[in-house]
Amino acid sequence: MDALKPQRNEPARMERLAKLPVFWGLEGKRVVLAGGSDGAAWKAELLLACGAELHLYCEASELSESFAVLVAKSQMLRWHDRPWGSDIFGGAELALADCETDAEAASFYAAARATGVPVNVIDKPEFCQFQFGSIVNRSPVVVSISTDGAAPILAQAIRRRIETLLPLSLKDWGALAQTIRERVNLRLAPGASRRSFWEKFVDRAFTERLDERSEERLLADIGMQAARAGSGRGLVTLVGAGPGDAELLTLKAVRALQAADVILFDDLVSAEVLELARREAKRMLVGKRGGRESCRQEDINDMMIRLAKAGKRVVRLKSGDPMIFGRAGEEIAALEAENIPVEIVPGITAASAMASRLGVSLTHRDHAQSVRFITGHSRQGRLPENIDWKSLSDPSVTTVFYMGGRTAAEIEAALLAHGMPALTPVAIMISVSRSNEQRWCGSLTQLAAAVERLGVNEPVLIGIGDAFGAASSAMSRSSPLIQKVG
């Protein structure tokens, strides 16, 4: 099983963070605030909304009109008509101030730090141990956005977009989650079954209206998950990662990655895609690359079976679409023979990404009425022996060869020998949709030479047929023979 060990550096579980996002409970806690400006009043409203017992230190002459209204109506706000001093910090959970000068800010910061109280001086980041972000409030669901002070307007723009995505009813669903959480924890053990219940809860929160029967339906779901957990079986999901660009993943693929216990991923899956996976998921490279040391398919099948029988939620993450040249059929058969549930999440196959990147239609009323996907190598690493070259030699049939880099010369020779015109348009793409993408367009008689120049160390996709004529013409007018993108 040595082939199943990681063969490359895995992406970091967590990239560098400018600040640690922390949600701080302030219910009934003493918080001190110095300064009576409108800016301080807004911070006071946030703190009071969290249930803090807020102590304001500010002389009457400095109290803004909006703050005076807040003082009058809030029972949790105590106003001390005096300047702040070193005596105010005792027993405080947090300390905030609105200081006009850096000298006063430095004094407040030093006094708070001396007593061990976390401190924030409004609009003076050099005197802040913590910062406030832009907030989307669906409490108990709270989203906070920070740009580390670099671009507050950007944070506000992000907040506006998130506001449009989160339904107002999420507040009620969040409250319901608090109500049933204890019953969920009693019935479902930590792990896959409990996580599966909450995933279905989330799906309902975003797609259903909350009504008087919602709690009843959720409790029924708890029972179903408990029964399923008793079987001790996990689940395997075959997920298409697409050609490499993480933005081309489906929403269902992202949900599967974020629910996985273990991810078995191909060598061609990009680090950007893996970054979307659940942090706690174990990731194992089971790469299969032509011409390189690879994992045996039997070993991959055995590993999926063993993990699923241990109750794990396994994601078999494949580049492109799992049902196109991904050996999915063999894996499904092996899993079904062991009565292990299998789900399939399709992905964008490389040929579709190629057409999109080149701006061509694989089928076109004037040029191509059908399209075929052909594997460029068989189990033996050669071209399959049963290819119908005669039918493929018609340039009105769009043909895309996957993994055909090492057999490009044979492809060219076979098509010419079966009557395909020498000037039939050909497009080659290397690492389609990735930062190191390369593309070439020319004619059939140039195919082998072009692949030799491009190299075969990265995934090679070869498109042949009249449908690629427009792309070839565009590149010949504006680009060199080999075009690098990224």
Side-chain angles (χ1 to χ4, degrees):
M1 301 291 283
D2 289 343
L4 292 172
K5 294 180 179 179
Q7 300 170 19
R8 70 175 185 196
N9 291 330
E10 293 187 21
R13 293 288 180 115
M14 177 66 73
E15 298 295 333
R16 183 184 181 280
L17 286 171
K19 292 288 186 296
L20 179 68
V22 174
F23 291 86
W24 205 312
L26 292 176
E27 188 73 32
K29 301 293 180 63
R30 183 175 187 271
V31 176
V32 296
L33 173 60
S37 67
D38 287 337
W42 168 236
K43 293 296 191 292
E45 287 191 60
L46 288 175
L47 296 165
L48 292 169
C50 294
E53 179 187 294
L54 185 60
H55 291 257
L56 171 65
Y57 292 87
C58 172
E59 293 180 330
S61 60
E62 298 179 357
L63 197 65
S64 70
E65 184 177 343
S66 60
F67 219 146
V69 173
L70 191 60
V71 169
K73 71 178 184 180
S74 176
Q75 296 181 349
M76 295 295 290
L77 173 56
R78 293 186 57 188
W79 174 36
H80 304 268
D81 186 6
R82 49 159 284 197
W84 72 271
S86 59
D87 61 320
I88 72 170
F89 299 102
E93 190 79 4
L94 298 175
L96 292 88
D98 190 4
C99 301
E100 291 188 4
T101 66
D102 285 351
E104 183 186 5
S107 296
F108 186 89
Y109 179 83
R113 290 295 306 275
T115 54
V117 180
V119 57
N120 174 285
V121 179
I122 299 169
D123 291 335
K124 294 187 182 297
E126 63 271 29
F127 300 112
C128 293
Q129 287 182 281
F130 63 92
Q131 296 173 343
F132 291 82
S134 294
I135 293 173
V136 178
N137 186 9
R138 302 287 189 273
S139 188
V141 178
V142 180
V143 180
S144 182
I145 305 104
S146 170
T147 61
D148 195 27
I153 298 299
L154 176 60
Q156 293 169 20
I158 295 170
R159 179 186 62 79
R160 288 195 299 271
R161 284 161 174 77
I162 294 176
E163 286 277 10
T164 66
L165 295 174
L166 300 185
L168 294 174
S169 62
L170 209 58
K171 174 182 176 69
D172 298 324
W173 281 97
L176 179 57
Q178 290 181 322
T179 300
I180 66 172
R181 176 167 293 279
E182 185 175 350
R183 280 174 283 184
V184 172
N185 291 346
L186 288 173
R187 293 290 304 278
L188 301 177
S193 58
R194 186 183 293 181
R195 192 164 60 251
S196 180
F197 167 81
W198 286 116
E199 287 165 2
K200 290 185 176 180
F201 177 95
V202 169
D203 288 339
R204 286 184 167 177
F206 279 94
T207 58
E208 296 181 11
R209 289 187 176 183
L210 198 66
D211 58 37
E212 64 276 2
R213 295 198 57 201
S214 295
E215 184 172 348
E216 177 185 335
R217 290 193 294 269
L218 288 168
L219 294 177
D221 281 350
I222 296 174
M224 291 174 58
Q225 288 297 330
R228 186 175 300 170
S231 69
R233 295 263 167 160
L235 169 74
V236 175
T237 305
L238 307 185
V239 176
D245 185 347
E247 292 186 358
L248 296 179
L249 279 176
T250 64
L251 292 176
K252 193 168 185 178
V254 174
R255 285 201 296 269
L257 287 172
Q258 293 178 349
D261 296 310
V262 182
I263 299 171
L264 307 180
F265 64 97
D266 280 347
D267 193 50
L268 296 179
V269 173
S270 69
E272 291 77 15
V273 168
L274 285 171
E275 180 64 22
L276 297 173
R278 191 168 73 95
R279 301 292 173 191
E280 296 83 359
K282 183 176 182 179
R283 308 173 194 188
M284 302 189 70
L285 173 63
V286 290
K288 303 186 75 62
R289 293 287 294 274
R292 303 183 188 180
E293 182 180 352
S294 299
C295 299
R296 295 191 310 129
Q297 186 62 53
E298 293 79 5
D299 291 340
I300 298 173
N301 295 347
D302 290 344
M303 175 161 283
M304 288 191 295
I305 292 168
R306 178 169 57 82
L307 291 168
K309 285 185 175 181
K312 304 296 184 182
R313 298 188 65 161
V314 181
V315 163
R316 176 72 174 98
L317 188 61
K318 299 168 175 283
S319 62
D321 183 278
M323 310 306 284
I324 297 180
F325 305 127
R327 304 192 184 182
E330 300 172 42
E331 295 176 352
I332 293 170
L335 293 164
E336 288 182 342
E338 298 290 334
N339 295 316
I340 293 171
V342 184
E343 293 182 356
I344 300 164
V345 179
I348 293 178
T349 190
S352 296
M354 177 187 200
S356 174
R357 298 287 288 168
L358 292 175
V360 302
S361 175
L362 297 180
T363 58
H364 191 288
R365 286 189 298 176
D366 298 330
H367 305 302
Q369 289 71 50
S370 62
V371 59
R372 296 183 181 182
F373 299 157
I374 309 292
T375 181
H377 71 268
S378 62
R379 286 178 182 267
Q380 291 75 34
R382 303 187 299 270
L383 277 170
E385 296 178 357
N386 57 350
I387 293 178
D388 184 357
W389 292 106
K390 183 63 179 177
S391 65
L392 294 181
S393 64
D394 180 357
S396 69
V397 176
T398 300
T399 303
V400 180
F401 284 89
Y402 285 64
M403 302 165 288
R406 289 181 170 82
T407 55
E410 298 172 60
I411 293 170
E412 176 186 319
L415 290 172
L416 289 171
H418 286 83
M420 177 170 274
L423 296 180
T424 300
V426 172
I428 302 170
M429 292 198 75
I430 309 290
S431 301
V432 59
S433 86
R434 301 177 185 234
S435 60
N436 61 333
E437 176 186 299
Q438 295 185 69
R439 57 181 71 164
W440 173 93
C441 288
S443 63
L444 178 59
T445 54
Q446 301 169 308
L447 170 59
V451 169
E452 186 176 354
R453 288 197 299 275
L454 288 165
V456 294
N457 291 325
E458 298 297 330
V460 177
L461 208 61
I462 301 170
I464 303 174
D466 290 341
F468 294 100
S472 181
S473 298
M475 280 189 64
S476 64
R477 288 194 304 269
S478 62
S479 306
L481 183 64
I482 296 175
Q483 186 180 79
K484 293 186 177 182
V485 180

